[in-house]
Every structure is written in C-alpha cells, then in structure tokens.
Amino acid sequence: MRDGIESQPPAASTDAVFLDGLVQAADTYVGTLLKATDGDVAALPHRAAMSRLLALATVYAEPGSAHRGSPAFPDAMEACVARLEHLQGPTGLFDGTNLSSPPDSAFTINDACMALEIIGAGHAALAGVRRRLRAVVGRITDALVTGGVHTPNHRWELCAALARIHALHEREGSARPDIVARIGEWLAEGIDQLPDGMYSERSPLYATAVTNPSLLAIADYAGRPGLLEHVRGNLAAFLPWFNADGSIESLFSRRQDQWKTFDAEAFQLLYRRLANQDGRSDFASAAAWLQQFPLLEPAKALARTRLDPWLGLELPAASVIDLSGDSASTVFDGGLPPVMAPGHAALGSCGIHRFRRAGNVVTVFGGCDPLEPGVVSGLATNPTFLRLAHGDAVLTDMRLSRSFFDLGPFRSQSVSTDAGAVRLAEELRANFYLPLPPERHRKDGIYALVHEGRFSASMDFGSRPTVEHRLATALTIRPGAGAEGDAAELELEFDGADTSFALELTFRPGGELAGVEPLASQLPGSNTGQGAFQLTSGTGTYRVGNDVIEFGPGLAADPDNPPVYNPGEAYRYLAGTNAADGVKVYITGRTQGTHRFTLRGRSVV
C-alpha cells in the first residue's frame, strides 16, 4: 500500500512551465511515433508494444494534450494489447533475448500497471483496453512471484512490478499476501549499494533506467520508505560526474555504458522527485540544470509525473540558476551549478577521481576489475585511464599499450593518492613452461585442459616449472600543475621487460591538430577512422574554436616501436577490438625508466 508520508506532498504550487513543456514534448513524441510507423505494432517486441501503449494512454488521458480523447487512439491501444496477448507464453511471461524471462517481462508489466492506473475507470472508450490489459497482468502475476533473475538490478525491477500489482489488487479489494512475502524475500538480501553510493553495477544507465526508479516504486507502492535512502545516496554520489555537454561520466561502469557517452537527461526526474520531497537545494540545482536537455522518453516522463505528485511541484527557489552564462557567481564549468562542479571528487569503490582547475576537467580512472575470468559482461574493463576537457576541446581517451605477450592495454590494479596526485599501477607476469616432472607424466600424453591466464591448452600448466617474465607499469597524474594550474603532468614508469609501448591519445572529432605527423597507413587494431597521427618531437596541439589542448613531448619514431593500439588476445582471437573512436595521436617508446608528459588546456583569442 502507498505510504502517505512518502507519496503525498503538502499543498504547494505546481510548476506550470515544467508541466506545459513536458506535455508538448510528449505530444510531439507520440505524433512522431505514429507517423514513423503508421501505428503498426505487428512486429514490435513486448517492451516496445507496451511502451507505445503507455505513451498513447498518457496523452489520451492528459487534459492539456493535443491528443486528449483522440478517437483514433482506442483502436491503436487495442492493437498494442493484442500484440502483448500474442506474445505471452503459457505462463504469462514474454520471450526476448532471455527466453521466458521474469525480469525482462517485469519491465513490460511495470509500464502496464502505470497505464492501468492512468486509464482508471474514467475513460469509457478505453474500457476494453483496460479489461484486456488487466488480464495480461493477471496471467503473468504467478510467474513473477515465483520467477528468478540474473543481474543485480533485475531484483528491484521485479519487486517494483510486484509492488504495483499488489497495489492494483488492493484497489480492487483483493489480497495477495504471497506478493508481499516475495518482495520481502528479495529485499532481505539487502540493496547492493557500495560505500560511496554507487550500486554494485556502478552504471548510470542502470541506476536511472532500473534501480532508482524501481526503489522509488517499491517505496511508494509497497510502503517501504526506507528504500529512498539508497536513492538519495546514489544521486548524491553522481552529482560531481556530470559534464557541461549534457552527458555524465560512465567510464567506471561495469555494464555496457562504460563504452558509451551517456545522456544525463535520464537523471532529471529522479533529482526532481527528491528535491521536492526533501527540500534539498543540491538536488534541486541538478534538476533545474538538467531541465535544459530534452527527455528521450517524454511521454513516459509525463506518465510518471501524473502518477507521482511530487514531480509536478515547483522546485525550491534556491535552485534557480542562470543558464545564459552571465551569472558567474552561481555557475561554473559550462553552466554547471557549483554543487555539481567541485574542485575534486572521487568514488573510492570505483577507483576514479575528477579535478576541475583553470577551466580543465581532468578525470583519472584506475578502477578496472580483475580479469581472472577474462573480458566478460559485468566487469569494468575500459582501459581509458585519463580524460581531459577544456571547453569544446576534449581528449576522450588516453590509453597505454605495451607489447607484452598480447596481454592487452594497461588496466590499473591499484589506485592511490598523495598530495593531489593520483598513482595507478599494474604488474603483468607471463610464463614459459618447462618440461613436466617425471612423476607427472601420463602414458597417453593427454593432460588436463587448463587456462593459464592467456590461453588454454592440454598442458597441465600448474604442474610445470616456469620461466617468468614481468612488466610493472606505474602512472602518476598530477592535475593542476604548472604556474597557471592549467596542466596535468603524467609520469610513466616501467620496471621489468624491455619492450615497446604506445601511448594513445584519442580526441573528439571536430578540431584541428598541429605539430604531429600523419601515419602512412592505418595499423591493425587502431580503429583510426577519424585519422591517425604520431607525435615524434616537441609539443602537439588540438584546437576546437578558441579551446586548445597541448600535449607532449613527442618521442622519436622507431620501426621497433609501432604506433598501434593492441586490445589484447582476448579480443584479437575473436577478430574484435575495444578501440575508441576519434582522432588518434600516438607517442611511442621503450619500457625502460621514466617518461614524463604534459597535457595543458587553455583558451586563445
């Protein structure tokens, strides 16, 4: 049952500007949706069909919508329900990539329960839609109560669906104590929140699309207000990681968004809800700043706003910020309010630091997970260890390759700080294997199939003496260096094997390079579709408008030190790569001693 304290706000002014803009955006979204496909749902998967139904129901029932009561919409919604009925299996579950998946089906059922709540009993023309959609929910309920999951966030999506179904039963005057008990079983495991506020998947995508919305729904519909503390902690942890371009850092994620630029708009309603409920000025500042970025699913956002009375209220007055750039006292770093742009921020469990100084944003990452099981889904494995932005000039990825038994790029195994510097370190070891001791010999010559860290073979590796090779790498980054504090100094130290290295700098396309030499041809594994260059001496520059990033010094070219990025055998064996896209510059050398480089962001007239 909804908890009155958490779900019912006090009397307060509604935010007419926010609501009017949201209705207009939802109307445009639905109009484009129908025009693009002519309303055909015959080939849609279950989540897309239900998402469409929710969008149609939301604007149909919205008093201010241009689609309010549209006579064509009931039939369009009936078509969506028919598609869902067709896709339901014998247990009521839906098939997709994961066959008969309770959590994947829960995404659809959460939307279905929202649509049922919006439609209610006040729209006679939608009585058939409501009856059939209610039956879809009824057929799947038992499977959701008894079903299982396979990722951390699935537990909370499943519980959110069960909480909404339970509230639906309560409104109908029926009882399902087994639903409440099942929610309790999942929640008894504890919420997977790390000490710094991130959830165990460390993913902005899943925090905004699944975990936080689900915990809010469970709090509201199952009377569990204590869960909101987890949402508050997660949103507070994300505050320093927004970028002026409307994205948010995802480098530390353990999910697929570690390889992508993630749009920060997904956080807007989350900050808005708790800013209004808690009266928090920091969350309100974030919500107000995020409001400038279009919502990707405005119809669903409108549905949430109509079902959650906190979302439609005016934000606390202290949160109002000037996005014109004329109010230097209240904004910083491309319009970010001060609470979102501290001089230094860190996430200890994620191994990431961010520094903002002299107009530069320097991000240092050393929180990759150990790769004992290999490069697999669910681990943070992005080898980018540094990012630097100065206005529109952006170094998106700095990586380090070494030619060492094809073990892949540098991925830090430890992160430490000292006097404002961040130190990353990794030690690699690789073996040559000597003959087996006589007592381990087999007459048939067939030995245990073992994975030794690089590859697998029937060699009984663990029983053999070895000749070990070692390469230790340490990177020390000092942000805010130089007389003006506008430089980041990089110290690269090696110990062990004498081999080649390639430092790869990848810039966001759109600027001009100077001081570098173009590579004669694209090298294997470089992913150099935007152009590849090498810095062989002095300092190079990358300029976008009036914003410049300087980098160097370069090192002399040598055919024994190829300018190439090597993703490692785990990728190359499958003809794959994890190379970053963009404009590439390489600095190459040998893994002997210490090398020092400087990155500097500045503005020119």
Side-chain angles (χ1 to χ4, degrees):
M1 183 172 64
R2 286 179 182 250
D3 182 274
I5 295 176
E6 295 295 329
S7 63
Q8 296 302 319
S13 299
T14 59
D15 190 335
V17 173
F18 168 73
L19 291 174
D20 290 347
L22 188 54
V23 171
Q24 291 178 22
D27 280 351
T28 300
Y29 174 84
V30 171
T32 302
L33 184 72
L34 294 175
K35 185 182 298 183
T37 60
D38 196 27
D40 182 18
V41 300
L44 289 180
H46 62 93
R47 288 176 64 176
M50 186 59 240
S51 176
R52 179 185 299 234
L53 196 162
L54 176 59
L56 294 172
T58 300
V59 295
Y60 181 90
E62 172 59 42
S65 170
H67 300 295
R68 166 77 169 182
S70 172
F73 275 34
D75 286 345
M77 284 185 262
E78 292 272 8
C80 292
V81 179
R83 180 62 178 164
L84 294 173
E85 292 168 339
H86 174 74
L87 292 172
Q88 271 194 300
T91 64
L93 294 170
F94 298 100
D95 281 343
T97 303
N98 304 306
L99 301 180
S100 297
S101 164
D104 286 356
S105 298
F107 285 96
T108 293
I109 296 306
N110 269 300
D111 282 1
C113 289
M114 290 173 66
L116 287 169
E117 195 171 353
I118 285 172
I119 293 170
H123 299 278
L126 301 183
V129 174
R130 191 184 192 289
R131 175 183 52 78
R132 293 171 67 185
L133 186 59
R134 179 64 183 89
V136 167
V137 174
R139 283 191 292 272
I140 201 174
T141 298
D142 288 345
L144 296 183
V145 171
T146 60
V149 301
H150 59 257
T151 67
N153 69 78
H154 280 174
R155 295 171 294 176
W156 320 133
E157 183 73 26
L158 187 56
C159 284
L162 291 173
R164 284 190 166 100
I165 294 171
H166 174 65
L168 183 61
H169 276 277
E170 286 198 324
R171 289 196 296 271
E172 296 170 346
S174 57
R176 286 290 302 261
D178 57 331
I179 294 178
V180 177
R182 189 60 159 182
I183 293 172
E185 286 185 64
W186 286 118
L187 293 178
E189 296 183 6
I191 305 301
D192 56 317
Q193 192 159 40
L194 302 171
D196 53 28
M198 290 293 122
Y199 299 117
S200 66
E201 293 173 296
R202 302 180 354 187
S203 164
L205 168 61
Y206 286 94
T208 54
V210 187
T211 302
N212 284 327
S214 294
L215 294 180
L216 282 168
I218 302 165
D220 288 345
Y221 289 88
R224 299 273 190 157
L227 294 176
L228 297 189
E229 282 305 305
H230 296 285
V231 182
R232 293 180 179 106
N234 185 249
L235 294 181
F238 269 116
L239 275 174
W241 300 98
F242 291 87
N243 302 315
D245 63 0
S247 63
I248 189 167
E249 187 59 66
S250 57
L251 184 59
F252 50 80
S253 173
R254 288 186 166 125
R255 301 302 302 269
Q256 61 266 39
D257 51 335
Q258 67 182 282
W259 309 104
K260 300 176 180 179
T261 299
F262 186 71
D263 291 329
E265 57 80 28
F267 282 87
Q268 183 187 149
L269 293 189
L270 295 168
Y271 281 114
R272 189 177 188 91
R273 158 70 188 259
L274 289 176
N276 284 333
Q277 181 171 324
D278 298 346
R280 288 185 62 153
S281 61
D282 54 349
F283 287 4
S285 293
W289 182 80
L290 287 164
Q291 198 168 322
Q292 68 184 295
F293 302 107
L295 293 166
L296 296 182
E297 295 184 282
K300 188 166 185 176
L302 179 60
R304 286 179 171 169
T305 300
R306 288 310 180 195
L307 295 177
D308 183 344
W310 291 105
L311 291 176
L313 303 182
E314 285 187 344
L315 290 168
S319 70
V320 176
I321 60 174
D322 180 2
L323 296 173
S324 68
D326 297 330
S327 181
S329 63
T330 58
V331 295
F332 175 74
D333 185 28
L336 283 165
V339 72
M340 301 172 75
H344 175 228
L347 293 171
S349 66
C350 301
I352 194 165
H353 291 258
R354 171 166 282 184
F355 303 85
R356 286 181 166 92
R357 296 175 187 171
N360 293 328
V361 183
V362 178
T363 303
V364 181
F365 175 58
C368 287
D369 290 315
L371 299 183
E372 283 89 354
V375 179
V376 299
S377 176
L379 296 180
T381 61
N382 194 317
T384 294
F385 65 84
L386 186 142
R387 288 175 166 165
L388 186 149
H390 185 90
D392 292 330
V394 181
L395 172 65
T396 60
D397 301 271
M398 195 169 192
R399 298 179 176 184
L400 175 66
S401 286
R402 300 134 309 168
S403 180
F404 188 79
F405 294 91
D406 219 12
L407 286 176
F410 172 83
R411 292 184 175 94
S412 182
Q413 297 170 344
S414 66
V415 184
S416 60
T417 59
D418 181 28
V422 182
R423 184 176 175 85
L424 314 178
E426 177 196 50
E427 184 167 309
L428 298 178
R429 297 177 184 272
N431 297 325
F432 285 105
Y433 296 90
L434 301 178
L436 279 169
E439 65 272 17
R440 301 295 300 178
H441 290 178
R442 291 179 56 95
K443 291 183 179 180
D444 60 8
I446 303 299
Y447 297 92
L449 179 65
V450 177
H451 184 70
E452 60 88 64
R454 291 180 293 155
F455 54 88
S456 299
S458 295
M459 292 276 289
D460 193 8
F461 290 117
S463 299
R464 295 175 180 272
T466 61
V467 176
E468 184 181 75
H469 289 257
R470 168 184 167 275
L471 177 61
T473 304
L475 288 167
T476 302
I477 297 100
R478 297 181 178 86
E484 304 297 326
D486 59 353
E489 293 180 349
L490 170 65
E491 186 176 274
L492 177 55
E493 303 171 78
F494 296 104
D495 183 54
D498 180 4
T499 184
S500 65
F501 77 81
L503 196 62
E504 181 190 68
L505 291 77
T506 302
F507 296 91
R508 181 182 295 170
E512 297 179 356
L513 278 168
V516 298
E517 302 173 7
L519 294 182
S521 62
Q522 181 167 320
L523 296 167
S526 295
N527 198 17
T528 54
Q530 300 290 341
F533 305 84
Q534 188 170 3
L535 183 65
T536 59
S537 64
T539 299
T541 62
Y542 188 71
R543 178 171 177 169
V544 182
N546 293 330
D547 300 317
V548 178
I549 294 176
E550 299 176 348
F551 52 93
L555 296 174
D558 185 326
D560 292 327
N561 306 328
V564 63
Y565 172 73
N566 180 3
E569 186 173 12
Y571 284 91
R572 284 154 50 94
Y573 176 73
L574 300 172
T577 187
N578 62 8
D581 291 313
V583 179
K584 310 282 187 178
V585 177
Y586 294 92
I587 302 174
T588 64
R590 303 295 295 179
T591 59
Q592 291 296 296
T594 301
H595 303 271
R596 293 179 176 85
F597 307 95
T598 299
L599 302 169
R600 176 175 282 105
R602 60 186 178 89
S603 298
V604 298
V605 178

